[in-house]
Amino acid sequence: MLSPLHTSPTAAFPKDFVWGVATSAFQIEGASASDGKGPSIWDTFCQVPGAIADASDGSVACEHYARCAEDLDMIARLGVNAYRFSTSWPRVQPTGSGAWNVKGLDFYERLVDGLLERGIAPYLTLNHWDLPEALQAKGGWANRDTAQHFVDYALGMHARLGDRVASIATHNEPWVMSVLGHESGIFAPGIKHRATAMQVAHHLLLSHGMALRALREAGCKASLGIVLNLSPIEPATGSAADRAKARLEDGRLVRWYMDPLFKGAYPADVLEHLQADRPVVQPGDMDIIQTPMDFLGINYYSRTVASAGEPWDVHKSGLEVTDMDWEVYPQGLTALLLRLHQDYTVPAMFITENGGAFKDPLINGQVHDANRTRYLQTHIEAVRHAMAQGVNMGGYMVWSLMDNFEWASGYAKRFGIVHVDYATQKRTLKDSARWYQSFLAQQAAAHLANAA
Ligand code: IFM
């Protein structure tokens, strides 16, 4: 069944609303040691026995590095007006400082120019987790010097691409790099030390503010911001213990990033909870972190349910659950957006990632992924509900353009609206891609009708 959004011109989003698909370098490019690219922490982490569920790595991935032009044609066929991608720092600057790799820079220049030739706005993310291994050897994001190296990298990318990209996001999901990378250690670089994780979070935020200032000083015209993974945190029950747990998790996931970015301070309750694991903050850091942004990117997948006792069992919630064991919870997106709008003075917000992994086999050249289509429809509807209540939304991007390397889950989890046959690298549009295509065509037609 088609949603009302799909059919009614009056339900059209604003004409300048940005519609896109998103990917990241390590997850799709492959060519992990080609044309002068240096190793990243994810190349190293993939070699750790047991780190990746299917023992795979990013060396081939979707071969996007070699197939860029055909992938750009595919993106254009979807009818999106934006493509969110990341540049691989070790591809353009193999050791994270010093010499640049011209072949890497040329690749991203072809990508950006190819998008513009096809009428698609490039949305660049500078750091989607693939830190150069050479910088990790010096402490990685736990070392304050990495912030300055990141600024140099940002300026280098700006010098080459800054006049043509619509938007630059500094970091993708600092919580993931901090907590999954340095506290639970299930992501690269695989460190398990909470104090290090909190120092990493601080340096990521600091480097974000430093890069914004440097880019603006360099005359950057692109819209500048950061991408956070945020969820509403709900207590499993009304008990005081569950509510306290939910408040703390909200502090660590949402307020630890939103408060310094928009209020200039870390949340007091989380600082108190961290005790000796608090990060070292130097005078002036918080001012740098709250440098005004042009946009805030939000990656939304599900809610989090906090329990002081047994962990929340998603399979007992009665909600549909994706192949990641994440509840399908579109109402949480509306609630999250309204909360951010009410609690903070935010610039335009973009959903920079939203989508679902589902088991969706390719049968006779087709993928009937009705669950993913429903996921996208209901979440787009959730964005519209928030806009109707006054939230300033600039755009929405599907995660992901195509199936790809899902980090510690390897290639088993498929988020793409395009199916990738990893043996042949053949791309096949799933039903969800065809739905998105026709939804976007309907949006364009509605604007034409309204203009007539
Ligand atoms: O694949 C990831 C992406 O790299 C960052 N956000 C969440 C996605 C799904 O897990």
Side-chain angles (χ1 to χ4, degrees), residues 23-24 27 84 128-129 172-173 176 187 229 299 301 324 326 353 355 357 399-400 404-407 409 415:
T23 63
S24 85
Q27 291 177 274
R84 176 173 178 244
H128 199 124
W129 309 352
N172 181 74
E173 303 183 353
V176 170
F187 277 14
N229 57 302
N299 295 350
Y301 290 90
M324 299 295 284
W326 297 346
E353 288 182 23
W399 185 270
S400 182
N404 57 50
F405 178 76
E406 179 51 29
W407 308 111
S409 305
F415 274 91

Side-chain angles (χ1 to χ4, degrees), residues 78-162:
L78 293 174
V80 294
N81 53 26
Y83 174 56
R84 176 173 178 244
F85 64 98
S86 73
T87 45
S88 157
W89 186 353
R91 189 178 295 290
V92 297
Q93 201 178 24
T95 56
S97 61
W100 293 86
N101 177 29
V102 175
K103 285 187 174 167
L105 290 166
D106 287 349
F107 169 69
Y108 293 115
E109 186 144 74
R110 285 198 301 279
L111 172 59
V112 166
D113 288 345
L115 288 167
L116 294 175
E117 280 159 20
R118 291 163 177 83
I120 300 166
Y123 275 60
L124 164 63
T125 301
L126 291 168
N127 171 24
H128 199 124
W129 309 352
D130 46 354
L131 183 76
E133 180 59 42
L135 291 183
Q136 188 61 44
K138 296 178 189 158
W141 284 110
N143 180 344
R144 194 175 167 101
D145 292 348
T146 300
Q148 186 54 51
H149 293 311
F150 179 72
V151 172
D152 297 341
Y153 160 54
L155 288 174
M157 297 316 293
H158 170 254
R160 193 68 188 256
L161 305 174

